[in-house]
């Protein structure tokens, strides 16, 4: 059905999108990357344009690639929320061939672009109920004995077929998928087409690639580049083996090019560079994987781009559409610094979102988790790709589970490759790495990740880029391949060596740590940090480390979370650290509806926000650190940081300090504030024991909300 649309609107706050939703009009506004329903009263101006569109039998507007709402501050487009019932097909149970799975995953992307209605089971390592349940989906099963019923259900949204053959090269599948996503076609071989016909669906062949004679990988993707790249989005590049179709759904939905080029081959590297050149650092990324890890990751890094590893990630078009804020849970307070050995251990391989989806879901259930502090690498890209997945892990985490970012921030980047002794991002080329680090800061803050594991190392100028552009960070780690590196501080940011890194046993970690532990004399704290490979050392094996370290120096070794480790390190070295992490801190406030502890608990999320009891627009929160510190920075997160409307941010407030709790000095005065976060560095640190945030004009509803307060100081 063809309909006319005559509206294009602009909202008071952010961009506005109008879409059909079951015969109604839905208004969406985008604010700081969060897309929320809005009210027509917020619309300031409406202008009219004549355009036409098709609708499906449910009344939804069938979206083409160019119809997607894709804000610059989101990794993926804003999809409508999933339909109440989502059709689910178990592809392994259906016995589908690789070519059939390519077709079904592409169908999923095309259909879900309009509204997510298809979920496919592919890689069944974890329980099939975990992620649909975590995303609150209602499923309607398509029988695995009649899988083509799924195509028939949505045939009205398919224009035809791209016919291809893999006889000359498997890469024709990626070419066909690229074309299919652009034009709402299904990529099929002759065998798959015959199965469609046998099931009563004789779609027209719109593109016939079977007459092409190219056999080389370079020639096939050059053909793609010359004929279709200009029509593809230049926001997201899919790099995936042709016979592994897991992320083809999001590629087809977005109109992305699907390629698989090996940078170890000079001609393939040259062609890949042509694609990468058209992507914008600090906004765009590669999704999938490469023929070889370091060369592939390194090639993207050369262009200031990162790769979100996702070779077996499935149902991105469904899970990204459940666009909820990440619910960061409160951070436990740390005891006082002592003259001890402070040890911390990181678990690989959380940069790969397919690991987060599949293997981690099982490993996180091991009984050893929670018995000892452990740092779990996880991908901040999930904040857009599947925020409910992050929420699932936060919800299940114990206070001994600390989430940190995999290498080297938003997606896997490799500034320096230790194996090949080369910098992919030149040491002093800050223009390449700066946009990536700025993007990283935005997403680790959305995800609540305070530490990043860098593979393999970064130069001093690159450390400065992280220090200057990633204020949310507590610290970085780098791989120490031979035990020669020491912790360094650049502009207040600690960069700690992982010694060991990617270690396959708990005993091996203890052996490496003993290099330093054996020299501990009890006169000052010392710090050790290492990493284990999750494939050999899960929680059930890693907990042995606690006892092994105690044997090396009985009663002297404390295994701690990464955020606590960096806090202790900075305090021991007389560097600024977040004083609100201290166990001894006392917090008081004016009358409130919620617990006073919520004002400085490390969580800016809903459910953990301090809210005044009165509605006169005033309220205060006071922190007592029990001893004086040189205060050098404060960070205040307001209502918007917790997912509330920006109009509820505190507008007028001061930040005051005192040594005795009676005489106060104002170190910050804010009037007419509209920002979700105020992050202020004090050029000349001021000594104080008390810090008070005093709000004189709260949000538009008269309530004062403080999502979180951080205060940085040093002895």
């Amino acid at each position: 059905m063809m309909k006319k649309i005559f509206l294009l609107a602009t909202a008071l706050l952010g961009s506005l999108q109008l879409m059909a939703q079951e015969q109604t009009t839905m208004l969406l506004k985008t604010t700081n990357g969060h897309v929320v329903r809005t009210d027509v009263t917020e619309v300031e101006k409406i202008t009219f344009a004549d355009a036409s569109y098709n609708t499906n039998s449910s009344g939804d507007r069938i979206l083409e690639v160019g119809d997607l709402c894709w804000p610059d501050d989101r990794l993926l487009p804003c999809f409508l929320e999933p339909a109440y019932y989502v059709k689910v097909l178990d592809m392994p149970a259906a016995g589908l061939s690789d070519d059939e799975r390519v077709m079904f995953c592409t169908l999923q992307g095309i259909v879900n672009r309009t509204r997510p209605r298809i979920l496919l089971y592919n890689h069944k390592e974890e329980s099939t109920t975990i992620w649909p349940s975590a995303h609150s989906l209602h499923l309607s099963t398509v029988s695995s004995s009649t899988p083509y019923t799924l195509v028939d259900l949505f045939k009205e949204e398919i224009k035809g077929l791209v016919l291809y053959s893999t006889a000359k090269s498997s890469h024709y599948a990626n070419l066909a998928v690229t074309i299919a996503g652009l034009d709402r076609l299904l990529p099929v071989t002759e065998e798959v087409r015959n199965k469609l016909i046998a099931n009563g669906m004789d779609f027209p062949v719109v593109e016939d690639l079977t007459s092409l004679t190219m056999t080389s990988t370079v020639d096939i993707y050059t053909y793609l580049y010359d004929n279709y790249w200009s029509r593809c989005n230049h926001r997201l590049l899919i790099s995936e083996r042709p016979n592994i179709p897991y992320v083809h759904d999001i590629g087809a939905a977005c109109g992305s090019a699907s390629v698989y080029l090996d940078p170890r081959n000079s001609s393939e590297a040259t062609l890949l560079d042509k694609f990468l050149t058209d992507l914008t650092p600090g906004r765009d990324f590669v999704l999938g994987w490469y023929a070889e890890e370091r060369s592939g990751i390194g090639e993207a890094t050369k262009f200031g781009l990162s790769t979100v590893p996702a070779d077996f990630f499935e149902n991105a078009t469904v899970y990204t559409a459940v666009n909820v804020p990440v619910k960061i849970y409160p951070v436990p307070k740390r005891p006082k610094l002592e003259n001890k050995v402070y040890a911390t251990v990181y678990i690989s391989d959380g940069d790969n979102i397919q690991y987060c989806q599949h293997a981690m879901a099982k490993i996180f259930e091991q009984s050893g988790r929670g018995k000892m502090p452990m740092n779990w690498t996880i991908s901040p890209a999930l904040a857009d790709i599947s925020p409910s997945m992050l929420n699932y892990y936060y919800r299940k985490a114990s206070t001994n589970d600390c989430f940190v970012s995999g290498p080297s921030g938003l997606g896997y980047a490799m500034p320096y490759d230790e194996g090949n002794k080369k910098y992919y991002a030149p040491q002093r080329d800050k223009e390449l790495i700066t946009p990536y680090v700025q993007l990283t800061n935005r997403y680790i803050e959305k995800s609540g990740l305070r530490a990043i594991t860098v593979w393999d190392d970064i130069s001093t100028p690159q450390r400065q880029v992280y220090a200057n552009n990633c204020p949310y960070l507590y610290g970085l780690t780098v791989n120490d391949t031979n035990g020669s590196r020491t912790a360094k501080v650049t502009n207040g940011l600690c960069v700690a060596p992982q010694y060991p890194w990617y270690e396959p046993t708990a005993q091996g970690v203890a052996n490496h740590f003993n290099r330093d532990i054996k020299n501990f004399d009890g006169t000052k704290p010392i710090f050790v940090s290492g990493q284990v490979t999750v494939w050999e050392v899960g929680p059930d094996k890693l907990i042995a480390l606690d006892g092994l370290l105690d044997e090396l120096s009985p009663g002297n070794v404390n295994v701690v979370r990464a955020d606590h480790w960096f806090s202790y390190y900075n305090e021991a070295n007389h560097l600024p650290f977040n004083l609100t992490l201290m166990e001894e801190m006392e917090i008081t406030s004016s009358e409130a509806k919620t617990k006073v502890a919520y004002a400085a608990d490390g969580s800016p999320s809903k459910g953990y926000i301090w809210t005044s009891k009165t509605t006169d627009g005033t309220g205060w929160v006071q922190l007592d650190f029990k001893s004086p510190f040189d205060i050098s920075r404060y960070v205040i997160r307001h209502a918007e940081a917790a997912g509330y409307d920006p109009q509820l941010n505190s507008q007028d407030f001061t930040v005051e300090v005192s040594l005795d709790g009676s005489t106060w000095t104002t170190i910050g005065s804010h009037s007419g504030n509209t920002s979700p976060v105020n992050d202020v560095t004090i050029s000349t640190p001021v000594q104080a024991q008390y810090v008070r945030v005093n709000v004189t004009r709260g949000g538009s509803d008269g309530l004062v909300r403080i999502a979180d307060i951080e205060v940085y100081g040093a002895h």
Side-chain angles (χ1 to χ4, degrees):
M1 179 185 295
M2 180 74 73
K3 289 191 176 182
K4 289 282 186 179
I5 183 170
F6 294 101
L7 39 87
L8 177 64
T10 303
L12 287 170
L13 295 168
S15 62
L16 189 74
Q17 183 187 22
L18 288 86
M19 289 184 176
Q21 182 198 17
E22 298 174 355
Q23 306 294 349
T24 65
T25 299
M26 179 172 67
L27 284 74
L28 300 176
K29 69 177 178 182
T30 306
T31 306
N32 293 333
H34 295 299
V35 181
V36 295
R37 295 171 187 263
T38 189
D39 188 84
V40 70
T41 58
E42 292 192 0
V43 178
E44 182 181 62
K45 179 182 180 182
I46 296 181
T47 56
F48 295 90
D50 188 355
S52 59
Y53 64 94
N54 294 301
T55 60
N56 60 23
S57 56
S58 298
D60 286 322
R61 176 184 175 184
I62 299 175
L63 298 183
E64 307 294 347
V65 166
D67 296 326
L68 289 170
C69 172
W70 201 338
D72 274 353
D73 59 356
R74 272 188 60 87
L75 297 178
L76 296 178
C78 303
F79 294 96
L80 290 176
E81 63 185 25
Y84 185 80
Y85 283 110
V86 175
K87 298 293 182 181
V88 59
L89 173 65
D90 188 328
M91 297 205 295
L96 299 179
S97 67
D98 286 347
D99 293 333
E100 288 177 295
R101 292 194 302 155
V102 166
M103 185 267 286
F104 274 96
C105 286
T106 306
L107 169 74
Q108 180 186 31
I110 292 170
V111 169
N112 287 357
R113 179 197 300 160
T114 290
R115 179 185 295 280
R117 287 158 289 161
I118 296 176
L119 185 138
L120 300 173
Y121 293 141
N122 285 291
H123 195 73
K124 299 172 67 175
E125 188 169 350
E126 77 283 4
S127 165
T128 55
T129 62
I130 287 180
W131 301 124
S133 175
H135 292 80
S136 302
L137 300 177
H138 301 88
L139 302 181
S140 173
T141 302
V142 173
S143 173
S144 59
S145 63
T146 56
Y148 282 78
T149 301
L150 187 64
V151 185
D152 192 55
L153 286 170
F154 301 104
K155 63 185 178 182
E156 63 181 340
E157 298 179 41
I158 301 302
K159 292 181 178 179
L161 306 178
V162 182
L163 187 63
Y164 71 97
S165 169
T166 58
K168 297 183 179 69
S169 172
S170 63
H171 293 281
Y172 279 104
N174 272 347
L175 174 61
V177 167
T178 301
I179 299 168
L182 293 172
D183 293 322
R184 282 199 282 124
L185 310 174
L186 294 181
V188 297
T189 60
E190 191 64 48
E191 180 182 2
V192 176
R193 183 192 179 198
N194 288 335
K195 289 187 177 182
L196 285 168
I197 293 172
N199 282 274
M201 291 168 284
D202 190 3
F203 294 108
V205 175
V206 178
E207 293 269 4
D208 189 347
L209 306 179
T210 59
S211 61
L212 298 178
T213 59
M214 301 166 294
T215 58
S216 79
T217 302
V218 169
D219 287 344
I220 293 169
Y221 292 120
T222 298
Y223 181 86
L224 186 158
Y225 183 88
D226 291 341
N227 293 280
Y228 298 99
W229 176 239
S230 62
R231 294 182 55 205
C232 296
N233 77 75
H234 292 177
R235 298 283 304 272
L236 168 66
L237 180 66
I238 303 295
S239 177
E240 185 72 290
R241 281 172 284 179
N243 62 339
I244 300 181
Y246 296 96
V247 294
H248 281 335
D249 72 315
I250 194 65
C254 296
S256 297
S258 292
V259 304
Y260 196 61
L261 292 158
D262 188 345
R264 294 173 297 179
N265 178 297
S266 60
S267 59
E268 292 188 37
T270 299
L271 180 56
L272 178 59
D273 289 353
K274 292 178 69 174
F275 289 98
L276 296 174
T277 300
D278 288 338
L279 272 60
T280 301
R283 187 194 67 177
D284 307 338
F285 69 107
V286 182
L287 185 71
W289 199 231
Y290 303 98
E292 193 269 335
E293 178 177 347
R294 289 173 176 262
S295 59
I297 299 300
E299 199 67 23
T301 305
K302 282 167 53 177
F303 293 86
L305 301 165
S306 65
T307 302
V308 174
D311 34 352
F312 294 97
F313 192 85
E314 57 193 56
N315 298 308
T317 50
V318 181
Y319 298 149
T320 189
V322 184
N323 186 27
V324 296
V326 177
K327 188 168 186 178
I328 302 164
Y329 277 61
V331 178
K333 304 302 184 186
R334 40 140 276 207
K336 283 187 175 182
L337 175 69
E338 300 178 276
N339 287 334
K340 298 278 190 178
V341 177
Y342 288 96
T344 195
V345 184
Y346 297 77
I347 300 171
S348 70
D349 268 13
D351 59 303
N352 195 323
I353 61 174
Q354 71 95 1
Y355 158 79
C356 300
Q357 185 177 51
H358 302 307
M360 185 174 173
K362 292 177 61 179
I363 296 168
F364 212 68
E365 296 300 319
Q366 290 186 11
S367 60
R369 183 181 63 80
K371 295 180 179 179
M372 184 187 83
M374 301 176 185
N375 304 312
W376 296 84
T377 52
I378 202 163
S379 175
L382 290 172
D384 279 357
I385 296 173
S386 179
S388 292
M389 196 170 292
L390 279 174
N391 287 343
Y392 171 86
Y393 287 115
Y394 268 120
R395 188 168 62 250
K396 294 182 73 70
S398 72
T399 56
N400 275 331
D401 296 313
C402 180
F403 297 114
V404 300
S405 174
S408 294
L410 192 282
Y412 189 177
M414 184 172 282
Y416 177 72
D417 179 354
E418 177 70 32
N420 294 301
K421 306 295 182 184
K422 63 187 293 187
Y423 279 95
Y424 290 111
Q427 294 188 61
R428 300 190 178 278
D429 191 347
K430 295 182 180 180
E431 290 185 5
L432 273 177
I433 198 171
T434 296
Y436 166 69
V437 173
Q438 292 171 337
L439 179 69
T440 288
N441 186 68
R442 205 165 76 236
Y443 277 87
I444 63 169
E445 187 164 1
K446 286 175 73 171
S447 307
L449 312 180
R450 306 307 293 254
I452 297 173
T453 57
V454 171
W455 280 44
D456 289 314
D457 195 11
I458 48 177
S459 65
T460 298
Q462 291 166 351
R463 294 172 191 226
Q464 291 172 347
V465 171
Y466 275 95
N468 296 339
N469 294 279
C470 219
Y472 192 71
L473 265 184
Y474 284 160
L476 290 170
T477 70
V478 295
N479 295 336
D480 191 357
T481 56
N482 56 21
S484 62
R485 296 184 179 127
T486 58
K488 296 181 180 179
V489 177
T490 302
N491 291 5
L493 179 67
C494 176
V495 181
Q498 297 274 34
Y499 182 75
W501 66 281
Y502 226 51
E503 170 60 38
T505 67
Q507 183 65 63
V509 175
N511 293 343
H512 281 81
F513 282 179
N514 196 39
R515 179 196 66 172
D516 299 303
I517 292 174
K518 66 184 180 183
N519 296 320
F520 177 67
D521 61 10
T523 61
K524 63 180 181 180
I526 68 170
F527 298 86
V528 291
S529 174
Q531 182 194 59
V532 295
T533 166
V534 71
W535 310 116
E536 285 83 21
V537 191
D540 285 349
K541 292 182 178 180
L542 186 55
I543 56 172
L545 180 64
D546 209 3
L548 292 170
L549 295 179
D550 191 61
E551 290 177 6
L552 295 176
S553 186
N556 292 323
V557 183
N558 290 346
V559 180
V560 298
R561 298 163 47 111
D563 45 13
H564 289 184
W565 191 95
F566 283 109
S567 176
Y568 284 130
Y569 181 90
N570 279 19
E571 182 178 7
N573 288 277
H574 310 291
L575 299 167
F577 66 100
N578 183 3
L579 304 178
T580 66
L581 273 179
M582 296 191 303
E583 194 174 60
E584 60 267 32
M585 179 192 72
E586 182 181 351
I587 183 169
T588 54
S589 74
S590 58
E591 285 191 290
K593 292 183 175 182
T594 57
K595 295 179 181 179
V596 65
Y598 289 168
D601 63 356
S603 170
S605 303
K606 284 185 178 180
Y608 301 102
I609 183 170
W610 183 87
T611 306
S612 66
K613 188 172 185 179
T614 60
T615 58
D616 62 357
T618 66
W620 56 267
V621 171
Q622 180 174 303
L623 310 174
D624 176 3
F625 301 117
K626 298 304 180 181
S627 63
F629 291 87
D630 291 330
I631 308 299
S632 57
R633 177 185 169 204
Y634 63 83
V635 183
I636 303 173
R637 292 182 168 84
H638 303 287
E640 186 183 347
Y644 289 96
D645 192 284
Q647 294 182 9
L648 301 181
N649 292 337
S650 293
Q651 300 169 75
D652 299 344
F653 59 94
T654 58
V655 179
E656 303 162 337
V657 296
S658 174
L659 278 169
D660 57 9
S662 298
T663 303
W664 295 88
T665 301
T666 299
I667 60 171
S669 182
H670 301 262
S671 179
N673 173 63
T674 59
S675 174
V677 181
N678 299 108
D679 189 337
V680 177
T681 298
I682 302 165
S683 56
T684 303
V686 57
Q687 194 174 64
Q689 177 177 323
Y690 301 87
V691 173
R692 182 168 63 194
V693 178
N694 187 35
V695 180
T696 54
R697 185 162 64 114
S700 59
D701 62 352
L703 289 171
V704 177
R705 294 175 179 85
I706 296 178
D708 199 48
I709 299 171
E710 295 176 5
V711 177
Y712 290 79
H715 288 297

